[in-house]
Amino acid sequence: MKYRSTRGQVSGQSFESVVIEGLAADGGLFIPEQLPTLPADWQTAWAQLTFPELATELIAQFVGTDLSHTEVSQLVQKSYATFDTPEVTPMVQLDARTHVLELFHGPTFAFKDVALQFLGNLFEFFLERRNAKSGGHRLTVVGATSGDTGSAAIYGLRGKKNIEVFILHPRGRVSAVQEAQMTTVLDENVHNVSIEGTFDDCQDIVKELFGRAEFRREHALGAVNSINWARILAQISYYFYAFFALRRSHGADALPAFVVPSGNFGDILAGFYAQSLGLPVAKLVIATNANDILDRFLRSGTYKKDANVAATPSPAMDILVSSNFERFLWYLARDHEVPLSVVDPEERAARACEILAQWMDRLKTAGSFSVSPAALAAARQVFWSGRCGDTETYSTIAAHYSHEPSYLLDPHTAVGVHVAETLRSEIQALGAHVHSVCLSTAHPAKFSDAVLRAVNDAGHQLDFGSILPAPFVGLLEKPRRCFECKNSADAVAQHIADVAQSK
């Protein structure tokens, strides 16, 4: 199993290499050179597996010779032992044909724990193995967060040997609980950095630092955002798990239509890879908030960056440019932009890299690019999309809280549920056996202000203490450590250098 960059200048990379490097040297994202072929009997052989067992079988398909099956199993078991339910990602039924896949049962109560508990253990495993052969290997993990990635990365990496982690967050643009989850972790290898700006500013700084070849080598930078392939790989597992759970509860012909709250596109990209591996999926539905670049693309064929980020009740999705969309665009270019006269697979891949690089350059210089009508039609075959405004987010939370049985949604999950309800007739038209499975990305207690506003404004009462997870009790009063930094890659680089020198 080898990996290439979407930009075309890097190829033939091992799984270990792409995990440690994170972002390709040419600025692209790593993708498999070829997708693996699953065992012919996977639908029966894997049907009764536990989540860790299923994740082991899937991840093992992508690691080549870098990890044995036993090593994958041990890493997976260690990663998901931190979750509060043996199911890891249980599914809850809202109505006859609508379900919520709860992805928030990890240590930070967000879906990103599924990937980042695993990635943290991968980092540590690979570094320890390298150091056993020749000492001195360290990693400086640098990441940007709109809220949940930061705490999940910190909890996945805190106390890990030979790893320093720097997490950039936009000051005042994450929830109080999200900020506290990050900044109250006082482990010596954890460094929180607040930036005056937006998540996109933080993400741009991270990408610029990775683009500085000398700085990247000197500090051995590693990526923890979903630009790291291992993040996407780990998330593929819960699509398969939901498929099997749905069939166990609703029969052998039941088929999921996954509705996914989408910001940086990593969560639903995992669904695209699951489908590409052969998972039967009725439809993948992108659910956006007011920051709707993905919804607008599927409607127009033009990927256009807005001038400003809109602040919404679902802040983890307040993103102008969805970094992981680049991976899907590469496949779109290869299959629908490269002329059919080009038949050699390697030549088609190379041409796709060229087209993708041109698109990314136009996005950077002109703020937008457009795909061909054929490519847009192909994208619409894979994805539907819908948009949810702030008013609809609040009303969806209130409606499901007051419904019998009551279910409390966080604002990001509410975006997905609203879009599922908006597209109910279209999804049901796919067949009586099709069920909407809405991915629930965070525990509602992480967004207390939005949840309480939604419930109270609708005239209902909520005892928030009754839903508060034990780790959140007293969290806001704990001591904190955070470095306030200028909105500048130079300033962040200097801070990283200062910390390294102090060590």
Side-chain angles (χ1 to χ4, degrees):
M1 173 60 67
K2 298 298 182 182
Y3 293 82
R4 63 159 47 92
S5 167
T6 51
R7 307 283 177 95
Q9 301 303 307
V10 182
S11 61
Q13 300 296 297
S14 69
F15 177 73
E16 178 176 346
S17 176
V18 303
V19 169
I20 294 296
E21 290 184 30
L23 185 70
D26 61 1
L29 306 184
F30 287 114
I31 56 175
E33 292 189 354
Q34 288 185 321
L35 290 179
T37 300
L38 298 185
D41 64 346
W42 71 264
Q43 287 200 43
T44 53
W46 294 356
Q48 302 301 322
L49 296 184
T50 65
F51 186 95
E53 290 169 342
L54 182 57
T56 297
E57 296 303 322
L58 284 162
I59 292 169
Q61 308 292 320
F62 288 87
V63 301
T65 59
D66 288 353
L67 293 169
S68 68
H69 192 278
T70 298
E71 288 169 334
V72 173
S73 177
Q74 291 171 343
L75 287 165
V76 167
Q77 294 288 345
K78 180 180 180 181
S79 300
Y80 300 127
T82 62
F83 281 60
D84 65 13
T85 172
E87 292 179 89
V88 182
T89 60
M91 195 156 67
V92 176
Q93 190 162 347
L94 294 184
D95 61 40
R97 289 173 62 181
T98 307
H99 311 259
V100 168
L101 183 65
E102 294 185 341
L103 306 177
F104 53 74
H105 289 274
T108 72
F109 301 89
F111 82 98
K112 297 179 182 184
D113 288 323
V114 177
L116 284 165
Q117 285 291 301
F118 176 66
L119 181 57
N121 289 322
L122 264 184
F123 279 152
E124 186 175 50
F125 177 87
F126 285 143
L127 286 173
E128 287 185 344
R129 188 166 68 182
R130 289 181 177 192
N131 283 321
K133 296 177 181 177
S134 60
H137 294 281
R138 297 185 60 83
L139 193 65
T140 302
V141 173
V142 183
T145 185
S146 55
D148 284 335
T149 291
S151 56
I154 287 167
Y155 277 66
L157 295 171
R158 63 187 302 183
K160 296 291 187 185
K161 299 175 184 176
N162 305 308
I163 298 174
E164 300 289 327
V165 54
F166 293 81
I167 297 297
L168 282 59
H169 71 266
R171 195 175 310 137
R173 286 179 174 262
V174 300
S175 79
V177 169
Q178 288 175 317
E179 181 178 344
Q181 280 188 303
M182 293 185 286
T183 58
T184 59
V185 177
L186 305 180
D187 296 57
E188 289 187 2
N189 73 321
V190 172
H191 311 280
N192 282 284
V193 181
S194 70
I195 301 293
E196 186 64 44
T198 67
F199 167 75
D200 289 86
D201 294 326
C202 297
Q203 188 164 247
D204 288 344
I205 289 172
V206 171
K207 289 181 178 178
E208 183 172 338
L209 294 180
F210 273 85
R212 298 180 179 184
E214 184 177 346
F215 182 84
R216 182 175 181 171
R217 283 194 299 271
E218 179 183 356
H219 295 282
L221 296 192
V224 75
N225 285 89
S226 53
I227 56 176
N228 193 307
W229 166 251
R231 286 272 307 270
I232 307 302
L233 174 58
Q235 291 172 204
I236 294 172
S237 302
Y238 50 68
Y239 285 90
F240 278 81
Y241 190 76
F243 167 79
F244 286 123
L246 185 65
R247 292 210 159 175
R248 284 194 294 269
S249 60
H250 287 81
D253 65 341
L255 200 60
F258 290 106
V259 186
V260 187
S262 301
N264 224 13
F265 199 73
D267 203 359
I268 198 164
L269 179 69
F272 166 73
Y273 276 111
Q275 187 178 44
S276 300
L277 289 170
L279 183 71
V281 175
K283 190 60 66 174
L284 294 168
V285 182
I286 298 168
T288 75
N289 62 16
N291 300 289
D292 58 354
I293 188 171
L294 296 168
D295 183 50
R296 286 185 283 113
F297 170 81
L298 284 171
R299 295 181 187 278
S300 67
T302 296
Y303 192 71
K304 184 177 181 180
K305 180 180 176 180
D306 272 341
N308 300 108
V309 176
T312 75
S314 47
M317 297 159 61
D318 292 349
I319 295 171
L320 286 179
V321 175
S322 304
S323 290
N324 266 294
F325 199 48
E326 178 169 335
R327 285 184 165 113
F328 173 70
L329 286 169
W330 186 89
Y331 293 100
L332 209 59
R334 183 195 66 180
D335 297 340
H336 303 285
E337 298 281 1
V338 177
L340 294 177
S341 58
V342 180
V343 295
D344 178 68
E346 283 304 309
E347 178 61 20
R348 291 192 68 82
R351 295 281 288 274
C353 292
E354 293 173 3
I355 293 168
L356 191 283
Q358 292 170 4
W359 283 343
M360 294 298 103
D361 185 61
R362 286 182 208 149
L363 182 65
K364 184 176 181 179
T365 58
S368 69
F369 65 87
S370 297
V371 302
S372 68
L376 176 59
R380 288 171 172 169
Q381 286 295 311
V382 179
F383 298 110
W384 287 348
S385 68
R387 180 185 187 277
C388 178
D390 294 359
T391 300
E392 292 83 8
T393 301
Y394 291 126
S395 63
T396 302
I397 294 171
H400 283 273
Y401 178 69
S402 62
H403 191 265
E404 287 295 337
S406 177
Y407 190 86
L408 190 60
L409 303 164
D410 93 282
H412 306 79
T413 308
V415 169
V417 171
H418 170 78
V419 170
E421 291 171 348
T422 302
L423 296 176
R424 185 185 298 272
S425 60
E426 289 89 342
I427 292 172
Q428 291 184 348
L430 295 172
H433 60 300
V434 175
H435 295 245
S436 294
V437 177
C438 303
L439 273 57
S440 182
T441 57
H443 192 287
K446 296 194 76 167
F447 302 93
S448 55
D449 290 346
V451 170
L452 286 170
R453 174 178 170 178
V455 172
N456 293 339
D457 285 358
H460 306 300
Q461 297 296 318
L462 169 63
D463 176 12
F464 208 76
S466 66
I467 67 156
L468 202 63
F472 288 4
V473 176
L475 179 65
L476 299 181
E477 286 73 48
K478 288 184 177 180
R480 305 184 185 203
R481 188 177 72 239
C482 184
F483 180 76
E484 293 190 1
C485 192
K486 293 180 180 179
N487 188 341
S488 157
D490 289 340
V492 174
Q494 185 61 55
H495 178 56
I496 293 172
D498 290 345
V499 170
Q501 188 172 16
S502 71
K503 297 281 183 175

